[in-house]
Amino acid sequence: GMEKINFSGGEPFLQDRGEFVGQLVQFCKQELKLPSVSIVSNGSLIKERWFKKYGEYLDILAISCDSFDENVNVLIGRGQGKKNHVENLHKLRQWCRDYAVAFKINSVINRFNVEEDMNEQIKALNPVRWKVFQCLLIEGENTGEDALREAEKFVISDEDFEQFLERHKDVSCLVPESNQKMRDSYLILDEYMRFLNCTNGRKEPSKSILDVGVEAAIKFSGFDEKMFLKRGGKYVWSKADMKLDW
């Protein structure tokens, strides 16, 4: 019954310079025959040769872009050294057109970009979807004693988030995700093939599907199917069904 898989990280293109995720994408499309295969990336490591080799097997490439101001990107931690993140975004957009891959943008709205007006840039890039997330705290990941990083300084209120959405209400591809919508509406597998349950504000792993099977493990996933549908999780996600101007 599986229809869609999404590879995200970390950064999926780190392993073997993208060769590893490329082989996964090809396997999912050719062997598993999944209607939709997608990747979320910051785009810094993607080369055109990757599209030439694996583009036909990828339905959607989502690029993380939290700001169109390079100084803000550096402040947030999205800086890419000598490479300009925004310029790179436009290059990736063109490659998606050239190799028939649907282009998507993911933005996390936080304290440093909540006042930004992104209307013009998003409309110019014309993604099939612009996912706009409210910065979410996850215990042990970006908040708390054992956290890999501290995200408290990035947090915004629900009112701040709503104001950002109001400013961008004319962007037709905008798909908003508040903290409430996001927390329990994803089926997430980690690198050990364990479902991650976020209902208690932290990622609590199930047993691995390699050990107990999908049916047993998924009971501990905390997945909220109603919220998944409410947030627009089901959409036209196979490029074969999209009427896109490549």
Side-chain angles (χ1 to χ4, degrees), residues 187-214:
L187 271 174
I188 309 169
L189 281 170
D190 70 5
E191 63 272 34
Y192 304 108
M193 303 300 277
R194 304 177 302 184
F195 288 105
L196 298 178
N197 185 336
C198 301
T199 52
N200 294 320
R202 60 182 298 123
K203 290 181 176 177
E204 298 173 340
S206 69
K207 290 183 178 178
S208 173
I209 63 174
L210 301 176
D211 297 326
V212 300
V214 174

Side-chain angles (χ1 to χ4, degrees), residues 113-160:
N113 65 2
V114 69
E115 303 294 337
E116 197 170 328
D117 186 335
M118 305 183 186
N119 281 286
E120 192 177 320
Q121 293 92 337
I122 293 293
K123 287 176 181 177
L125 287 160
N126 193 27
V128 292
R129 280 163 78 83
W130 179 31
K131 289 288 282 291
V132 175
F133 302 94
Q134 181 182 358
C135 183
L136 176 68
L137 292 179
I138 296 288
E139 183 74 26
E141 180 158 313
N142 60 13
T143 187
E145 287 185 13
D146 303 325
L148 299 172
R149 58 192 72 84
E150 294 297 325
E152 282 87 353
K153 65 181 179 181
F154 293 94
V155 173
I156 57 173
S157 67
D158 293 346
E159 290 75 21
D160 289 335

